[in-house]
């Protein structure tokens, strides 16, 4: 069994810094912290999506793989110099996306934040 926490705060971040997985410290507003927080949020959204899909839905396996890859990406972001994701992960995801997009009509434009349109490339 792991260490038991006797309190839920450490006070080590009171100076505006946070610890990374390698023990180094960065500002709490550092881009690396923002990045792994964003990756974690995306992973949570995918988890909610999966919870709404039937357990045997065709995309459950792909979404589970994406969640595992995002978890690994978060680890890479938390530990400078650490590599978990392999190029094959990206290739496999792109293949699956291409398969899903094959039956969709061509994308003509994107709706940007604020409601304006940008042409697809």
């Amino acid at each position: 069994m792991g260490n038991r926490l006797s309190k839920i705060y450490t006070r080590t971040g009171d100076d505006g810094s946070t610890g990374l997985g390698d023990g180094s410290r960065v500002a709490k507003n550092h881009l690396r912290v923002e990045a792994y927080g964003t990756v974690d949020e995306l992973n949570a959204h995918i988890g909610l999506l999966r919870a709404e899909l039937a357990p045997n839905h065709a995309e459950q396996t792909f979404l589970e793989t994406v969640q595992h890859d995002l978890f690994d990406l978060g680890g890479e972001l938390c530990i400078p110099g650490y590599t978990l994701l392999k190029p094959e992960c990206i290739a496999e995801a792109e293949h699956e996306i291409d398969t899903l997009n094959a039956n969709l009509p061509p994308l003509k434009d994107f709706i940007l934040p604020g409601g304006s349109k940008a042409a697809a490339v």
Side-chain angles (χ1 to χ4, degrees):
M1 186 159 135
N3 294 334
R4 184 169 175 86
L5 297 175
S6 60
K7 58 184 178 177
I8 59 170
Y9 60 89
T10 62
R11 301 193 66 99
T12 59
D14 288 357
D15 64 352
S17 69
T18 190
L20 296 178
D22 67 352
S24 64
R25 299 195 68 77
V26 296
K28 288 182 179 183
N29 65 352
H30 192 278
L31 288 178
R32 180 178 294 272
V33 176
E34 174 69 24
Y36 67 70
T38 301
V39 167
D40 198 37
E41 285 182 47
L42 174 58
N43 210 343
H45 284 285
I46 292 172
L48 286 172
L49 171 62
R50 289 188 64 212
E52 293 296 318
L53 294 175
N56 61 346
H57 189 280
E59 298 311 319
Q60 283 284 10
T61 301
F62 173 60
L63 292 171
E64 180 180 12
T65 299
V66 170
Q67 284 192 288
H68 286 287
D69 290 346
L70 288 172
F71 191 78
D72 288 347
L73 177 59
E76 286 187 19
L77 289 166
C78 180
I79 305 170
Y82 189 61
T83 303
L84 285 170
L85 284 178
K86 305 292 182 236
E88 301 83 46
C89 296
I90 304 303
E92 289 171 17
E94 287 175 345
H95 175 74
E96 183 68 22
I97 291 166
D98 290 343
T99 301
L100 292 170
N101 284 337
N103 296 323
L104 296 176
L107 184 62
K108 296 178 182 166
D109 55 33
F110 293 96
I111 304 297
L112 300 171
S116 61
K117 287 185 178 183
V121 289

